[in-house]
Amino acid sequence: MTMNAPRPEVLRYTAFSSDPAGGNPAGVVLDATALDDGDMLAIAADLGYSESAFLTAPPEGLGGREERAYGIRYFSPRAEVPFCGHATVATAVALAERAGPGKLVFATRAGTVPVEVTEENGTVRATLTSVEPYVEEIADADLTEALAALHWPAADLDPAFPPRIAFAGARHLVLAAATRARLADLSYDFACLEALMHRLDLTTVQLVWRESATVFHVRDPFPVGGVVEDPATGAAAAAFGAYARELGLVPDAAVLTLHQGEDLGRPGELTVTLRAGDPRVRVGGTGARIG
C-alpha cells in the first residue's frame, strides 16, 4: 500500500455467536489486493484481535463462480498464520451480508477450504470444511514442559483423553482437564509456553473438558499470536474433532458442541460435524457485525 493509497475498509465481525459481545472478534478486509505483508500485519496489530482476515484474488483454477472464490490470508498481531477458523467464519458472514448466502471457497496457506453459508430468521451461519487432518503423539519431555508452563499437575489431566498434537489446517496441542474447575483456572507462564509452541510449530493449545458424550468446554491459550487466550477457535475445534474421532472417543459420524469463551465473558458455540468416510472436519457457527 503506497503512502497515497487510501486505507482499505476494515470490518469487525464476531464468529461463533450471534451477539456482537460474544464469540471471537476478527478484522475482515474484503479487498486486500493493494496491501503487502507489512500492511496486513500492521492492520492486525492495530485491531489487536487474535486474527484478522484479508481477501485477495483467487488463484487460477480454485473453482466456484468467480465472485464466490477468494484467496485469503490471516494475521495475528504478531505474525501470519496458515489458517484461522473464526476469521474464516467472520469473513463468510460478511460476504453473505453483501452477496447473499451460498457456497464459498477460500484458498488458504493450509489448502482449499470450502464454506457454506445459510440464513434462517435473520441469523447467518457459516460452516467450513477443513483440509485433511492428522494426529500425532507428543514426546514425554515436551508434554512435561507444556504442563509446567500451564502450571497443571499431570494428575489434573483426564486419563481418557491422551495428549496429542492435532492438525486440521494448523497444529494444536490437545490436553484434557479432569474437571471443569481445572479448565476454569487458567494462569500460565506466557513466555515459557510461547517458546515451546514455537519449537513445536503450534498455533494454540486446545484445553478441553468433557461435559457429556457430545458436549465439551474448551479454552485456547495463544501466546504465539501475542494474545493470552483466543475466545473461540475454529481451527482448534476442527483439530479436536479429528483427534476425538481418531482416538475412538466419539463415533466416526457425530455432531459435537464446543462451548468456548465463557471464562472470558465472551460465550460462543462451535458445532463440529464428523462424517463417516470423510476425514475432513466441518466447523460451523453464527456470526455478527460489531458496531
Side-chain angles (χ1 to χ4, degrees):
M1 185 171 65
T2 66
M3 293 183 62
N4 296 324
R7 179 184 174 93
E9 182 180 16
V10 181
L11 306 174
R12 294 165 173 81
Y13 276 78
T14 195
F16 302 117
S17 174
S18 57
D19 180 355
N24 195 355
V28 177
V29 176
L30 296 180
D31 184 3
T33 53
L35 304 180
D36 61 21
D37 291 12
D39 297 326
M40 289 185 256
L41 182 59
I43 289 171
D46 183 56
L47 282 172
Y49 295 152
S50 54
E51 277 105 358
S52 294
F54 300 84
L55 290 185
T56 61
E60 186 175 353
L62 180 61
R65 300 199 312 273
E66 184 178 353
E67 69 276 19
R68 308 292 282 185
Y70 303 88
I72 189 168
R73 299 177 68 183
Y74 311 96
F75 283 80
S76 77
R78 285 191 178 178
E80 185 172 9
V81 297
F83 176 66
C84 172
H86 90 271
T88 301
V89 168
T91 302
V93 171
L95 289 168
E97 289 185 350
R98 287 152 181 81
K103 294 183 178 180
L104 302 163
V105 60
F106 294 113
T108 79
R109 278 180 50 199
T112 301
V113 176
V115 180
E116 184 157 5
V117 187
T118 58
E119 184 176 357
E120 185 175 351
N121 299 323
T123 299
V124 180
R125 183 178 186 86
T127 299
L128 65 87
T129 299
S130 78
V131 299
E132 189 161 337
Y134 64 77
V135 179
E136 64 184 41
E137 294 193 6
I138 180 172
D140 290 343
D142 294 332
L143 175 60
T144 298
E145 188 176 340
L147 293 176
L150 289 166
H151 308 306
W152 279 28
D156 285 356
L157 294 175
D158 184 341
F161 288 74
R164 293 288 190 275
I165 292 172
F167 169 91
R171 287 164 57 86
H172 306 266
L173 172 60
V174 180
L175 298 174
T179 65
R180 181 67 177 89
R182 171 70 277 174
L183 184 69
D185 183 14
L186 181 62
S187 177
Y188 66 92
D189 187 318
F190 191 98
C192 288
L193 189 60
E194 179 184 17
L196 173 67
M197 291 172 68
H198 277 302
R199 183 164 59 78
L200 298 180
D201 190 28
L202 301 175
T203 298
T204 74
V205 178
Q206 172 86 331
L207 306 175
V208 306
W209 173 72
R210 187 173 204 165
E211 178 182 314
S212 69
T214 59
V215 177
F216 298 83
H217 295 254
V218 301
R219 303 183 74 174
D220 282 80
F222 187 34
V224 294
V227 177
V228 172
E229 183 176 353
D230 203 23
T233 318
F240 175 72
Y243 157 92
R245 177 172 55 191
E246 177 157 321
L247 272 67
L249 301 168
V250 298
D252 286 346
V255 178
L256 313 178
T257 300
L258 274 57
H259 296 285
Q260 189 173 357
E262 294 175 348
D263 298 290
L264 291 173
R266 294 194 63 94
E269 183 176 296
L270 302 86
T271 301
V272 176
T273 303
L274 306 172
R275 296 182 181 178
D278 187 347
R280 300 172 302 170
V281 180
R282 288 156 179 83
V283 178
T286 56
R289 186 162 184 173
I290 300 172

